[in-house]
Amino acid sequence: MSGRLYVLGMGPGDQDWITPVVSDSIASSTDVVGYGYYLDLLKEELEEKICHVTPLGEEIGRVELALSLAAEGKSVSLISSGDIGIYALATLVFEVLERSLKSSDTYEAVDIQVFPGISAMQAGASRAGALLGHDFCTISLSDLLTPWATIEKRLHAAGIGDFVVVFYNPKSKKRDWQLAKAIEILLEYRPAKTPVLVARQLTRGDEEIRLVRLDQLDVTQVDMFTLVMVGNSETRQVQQGDRTWAYTPRGYEGKA
Amino acid sequence: MSGRLYVLGMGPGDQDWITPVVSDSIASSTDVVGYGYYLDLLKEELEEKICHVTPLGEEIGRVELALSLAAEGKSVSLISSGDIGIYALATLVFEVLERSLKSSDTYEAVDIQVFPGISAMQAGASRAGALLGHDFCTISLSDLLTPWATIEKRLHAAGIGDFVVVFYNPKSKKRDWQLAKAIEILLEYRPAKTPVLVARQLTRGDEEIRLVRLDQLDVTQVDMFTLVMVGNSETRQVQQGDRTWAYTPRGYEGKA
């Protein structure tokens, strides 16, 4: 008898940003699989659940555990912050599933349901105003699984296409030079004064939101909890009282 | 005395996909501004609210109405489906605000709060599996405010960068050739068998999810309620029982 695997995005942090379909999925689960830091944020919801805490970095093990529990007939929630479908565990669920189905039917009947969450880029864009108002792209700066040459080609493509650019994984303890290189490439294509959002701990108590110029981004202020988003050539700032907003218009000035 | 303007993304359709912070904002508003089709979906939440229905297409008027009501001291919710920050009204709020502040302080003290919703691309990617598992871009195919030459440059950039591509505004009654041209351009860069998601009425009763090959997309089956998402060169399909999933792996096969 096979159970169900919910693959759930928990949003940026504040529990009021979690959709009811996600909360209800957790409520109807017997088991919850996630990593420690995140499970700590959810204490109340997780009372009476069996919590399987796995360390950050052991993603494949976490996904295999969740699928195995579901294959045993349990209702399991696999959770991550943000949108689990965007640079997160959802894709690994299907990677592990595909590999497993080649040699075994263990996971054949697991009922998999994926529900997205609000991603950090959406939280950041909304806190700053409306940075994602026109075409944008996301680029992960992690070269663990993607060759740096591919990432660099993509940065040039983002420049050529004048996309608003959202960086995921801008930096980690072992990767410290990629963000500066990425900014250098974008500066070949767009003005030095292009607004950049630097946001930390979005929707949480210690949230920090800053807008800086592209040529003045201080990469030492960026860590793995920081979202960095670069406007396109049309992105503007507007001062309303003591608030500074940034937005990317719907089109191009010459056209309208 | 100035009031508050909530700028709210209502998600793809199903009310269980609306975040509590958005529902609570509506609950604390006296006035709700939106367009007719969407307000109809929310009947229950809107009892005892003053609803200002404006027609589709009159976006600037809708935003000006919402800001004016807030400037009079009311608590106003301006709503749209999906994420209001992604190709939607949020950016227009700041455009109208900036223009107005140049000649008047009417909107100077309006307390603006933007809260995102789950966008169609997230709903579509999750229904299909995990199509947004790696770098992606969004491209609006509407050339009303953006020159077609800019859009075409962006399509080539998406091809060069091997981004997963999400099309917004793929088609309307007056614009019927852009999607076919966009597909033709992407076929210069990626395999004919690249999986494409064609999704209609996501999370609603009559939801339709189809996966087709890039060279077999039938553009006549796409309308303005359809989301079209093209995988990158690594996007894969996996068959689990009678379900077909599509996912974009976290990296590139050669690298891992």
Side-chain angles (χ1 to χ4, degrees):
Chain A
M1 180 215 130
S2 236
R4 174 171 289 179
L5 176 60
Y6 293 111
V7 181
L8 304 175
M10 308 296 292
D14 183 329
Q15 301 202 20
D16 284 339
W17 291 52
I18 301 175
T19 64
V21 70
V22 165
S23 304
D24 294 349
S25 300
I26 292 179
S28 73
S29 299
T30 50
D31 294 63
V32 177
V33 180
Y35 87 96
Y37 172 75
Y38 204 71
L39 289 177
D40 286 347
L41 294 176
L42 286 175
K43 268 176 197 150
E44 222 171 289
E45 284 65 23
L46 300 180
E47 278 171 24
E48 301 173 31
K49 310 284 174 202
I50 304 171
C51 292
H52 305 267
V53 180
T54 61
L56 189 62
E58 295 187 11
E59 281 77 19
I60 292 178
R62 198 179 312 152
V63 165
E64 281 170 345
L65 174 64
L67 276 164
S68 305
L69 291 165
E72 289 168 19
K74 292 181 174 152
S75 278
V76 183
S77 285
L78 175 66
I79 67 173
S80 79
S81 65
D83 182 346
I84 198 161
I86 296 181
Y87 299 110
L89 291 177
T91 190
L92 202 50
V93 168
F94 296 102
E95 210 173 305
V96 169
L97 178 73
E98 183 177 12
R99 204 180 307 137
S100 168
L101 285 172
K102 281 180 186 153
S103 56
S104 141
D105 61 359
T106 314
Y107 303 146
E108 173 90 24
V110 172
D111 178 13
I112 301 173
Q113 302 202 11
V114 186
F115 295 114
I118 301 290
S119 85
M121 67 177 173
Q122 296 171 289
S126 67
R127 288 300 207 224
L131 273 168
L132 297 177
H134 206 337
D135 302 341
F136 64 92
C137 69
T138 65
I139 299 179
S140 167
L141 294 181
S142 168
D143 54 356
L144 289 175
L145 298 171
T146 301
W148 178 254
T150 303
I151 298 172
E152 203 164 303
K153 192 175 61 179
R154 213 162 257 169
L155 289 162
H156 283 284
I160 292 165
D162 196 28
F163 290 100
V164 173
V165 181
V166 184
F167 290 120
Y168 278 76
N169 308 311
K171 213 171 166 184
S172 72
K173 279 178 194 161
K174 291 181 185 161
R175 292 183 304 99
D176 60 358
W177 56 267
Q178 285 87 348
L179 180 59
K181 179 70 189 166
I183 297 295
E184 191 188 309
I185 291 172
L186 289 182
L187 275 168
E188 295 175 26
Y189 298 94
R190 58 191 76 175
K193 68 175 186 10
T194 303
V196 178
L197 170 69
V198 182
R200 257 193 111 249
Q201 300 287 37
L202 281 156
T203 79
R204 300 180 190 183
D206 47 352
E207 176 178 281
E208 288 168 37
I209 304 283
R210 279 177 305 133
L211 287 164
V212 299
R213 287 167 54 111
L214 183 57
D215 64 346
Q216 288 171 6
L217 177 71
D218 178 359
V219 296
T220 66
Q221 294 191 317
V222 172
D223 64 14
M224 57 184 290
F225 300 104
T226 311
L227 175 84
V228 179
M229 198 182 308
V230 180
N232 74 5
S233 65
E234 301 271 316
T235 299
R236 304 171 60 80
Q237 293 192 180
V238 48
Q239 193 69 31
Q240 182 206 25
D242 58 2
R243 286 218 58 168
T244 307
W245 298 102
Y247 71 97
T248 305
R250 299 174 303 159
Y252 280 72
E253 205 154 4
K255 176 84 184 182
Chain B
M1 178 215 134
S2 237
R4 175 170 288 179
L5 176 59
Y6 292 112
V7 181
L8 304 174
M10 307 296 294
D14 184 329
Q15 301 201 21
D16 284 340
W17 291 51
I18 301 174
T19 63
V21 70
V22 166
S23 305
D24 294 349
S25 300
I26 292 179
S28 73
S29 298
T30 50
D31 293 65
V32 177
V33 180
Y35 87 94
Y37 173 75
Y38 204 69
L39 289 177
D40 286 348
L41 294 176
L42 286 174
K43 268 181 197 143
E44 222 170 290
E45 282 67 20
L46 299 180
E47 277 170 25
E48 301 174 32
K49 308 283 175 206
I50 305 173
C51 292
H52 305 268
V53 180
T54 61
L56 190 62
E58 295 185 12
E59 280 78 17
I60 292 180
R62 198 180 311 153
V63 165
E64 281 172 344
L65 174 64
L67 276 163
S68 305
L69 292 165
E72 289 168 18
K74 292 180 173 155
S75 278
V76 183
S77 285
L78 175 66
I79 67 173
S80 79
S81 64
D83 181 346
I84 197 159
I86 297 181
Y87 299 109
L89 290 178
T91 189
L92 202 49
V93 168
F94 296 101
E95 211 172 304
V96 170
L97 177 72
E98 183 178 12
R99 205 179 307 139
S100 168
L101 286 172
K102 281 179 188 154
S103 57
S104 139
D105 61 358
T106 313
Y107 303 147
E108 173 90 26
V110 172
D111 178 15
I112 301 174
Q113 302 203 11
V114 186
F115 295 115
I118 301 289
S119 84
M121 66 177 174
Q122 296 171 289
S126 67
R127 289 300 207 224
L131 273 169
L132 297 177
H134 205 336
D135 302 340
F136 65 92
C137 69
T138 65
I139 300 179
S140 166
L141 294 181
S142 168
D143 54 358
L144 289 176
L145 297 172
T146 301
W148 178 254
T150 303
I151 299 171
E152 202 164 304
K153 192 175 63 178
R154 210 161 257 168
L155 290 162
H156 284 284
I160 292 165
D162 197 28
F163 289 100
V164 173
V165 181
V166 184
F167 291 120
Y168 278 75
N169 308 312
K171 212 171 165 185
S172 72
K173 279 178 193 160
K174 290 181 187 161
R175 291 183 305 99
D176 59 0
W177 56 267
Q178 286 86 347
L179 179 60
K181 179 71 190 167
I183 297 296
E184 191 188 308
I185 291 172
L186 289 182
L187 276 168
E188 294 175 27
Y189 298 93
R190 59 191 72 176
K193 69 174 187 4
T194 303
V196 179
L197 170 69
V198 182
R200 258 193 110 250
Q201 300 286 36
L202 281 155
T203 78
R204 300 180 190 183
D206 46 351
E207 176 178 279
E208 290 168 36
I209 303 283
R210 280 177 304 134
L211 286 165
V212 300
R213 288 166 52 110
L214 183 57
D215 64 345
Q216 287 170 6
L217 176 71
D218 178 358
V219 296
T220 65
Q221 294 192 317
V222 172
D223 63 15
M224 56 184 290
F225 300 104
T226 311
L227 175 84
V228 179
M229 199 183 307
V230 180
N232 74 7
S233 65
E234 301 272 316
T235 299
R236 303 172 59 82
Q237 295 192 180
V238 49
Q239 193 69 31
Q240 181 205 26
D242 58 4
R243 285 218 57 168
T244 307
W245 299 102
Y247 72 96
T248 305
R250 299 174 303 159
Y252 281 72
E253 205 154 6
K255 175 86 186 183

